[in-house]
Amino acid sequence: MVRLILYLLLAVLLITLLRSFIGIFLRLASQWLLSGPRSGPPRVEMGGELKQDPVCGVYVPASTAIKLNYGGKTLYFCSESCREKYRRGERRTQA
Ligand SMILES: [Zn+2]
């Protein structure tokens, strides 16, 4: 009779352990699926080609970027403030 109770306890323990393992595994799997591989060059978004902001160096999709025509070519900025900085000549990197 004592054995039966022990077996039952063991079974319950195993089930709870299994459940927590499955929970951790599912969480890890979903995190991995959501984040994807971290290394490599910047990903090309659905919105089109990625352009580098010459002021802060951030990559922005050409379709959503703030544009500025400068010396016959189009420059792409992440925000209005970056565009203003570029206009005022406060550039840190050459385009
Ligand atoms: Zn910027």
Side-chain angles (χ1 to χ4, degrees):
M1 198 57 196
V2 180
R3 261 196 168 184
L4 195 77
I5 292 162
L6 269 171
Y7 278 135
L8 274 168
L9 276 170
L10 212 79
V12 169
L13 237 141
L14 272 171
I15 287 163
T16 43
L17 265 171
L18 227 92
R19 268 187 166 178
S20 58
F21 270 127
I22 289 166
I24 289 163
F25 174 78
L26 281 175
R27 211 186 308 155
L28 282 173
S30 61
Q31 267 176 10
W32 181 80
L33 281 173
L34 281 174
S35 60
R38 288 277 177 195
S39 58
R43 247 170 350 111
V44 173
E45 300 288 332
M46 293 292 278
E49 207 181 336
L50 281 182
K51 301 286 183 184
Q52 192 175 20
D53 181 328
V55 176
C56 66
V58 154
Y59 282 92
V60 282
S63 55
T64 55
I66 310 284
K67 294 170 191 76
L68 172 72
N69 266 307
Y70 193 86
K73 65 177 183 172
T74 310
L75 292 166
Y76 299 85
F77 300 90
C78 70
S79 62
E80 299 267 0
S81 65
C82 276
R83 187 174 64 176
E84 287 311 305
K85 269 184 193 171
Y86 192 88
R87 270 184 179 160
R88 279 184 265 130
E90 292 175 27
R91 48 203 123 133
R92 280 169 217 156
T93 52
Q94 290 294 316

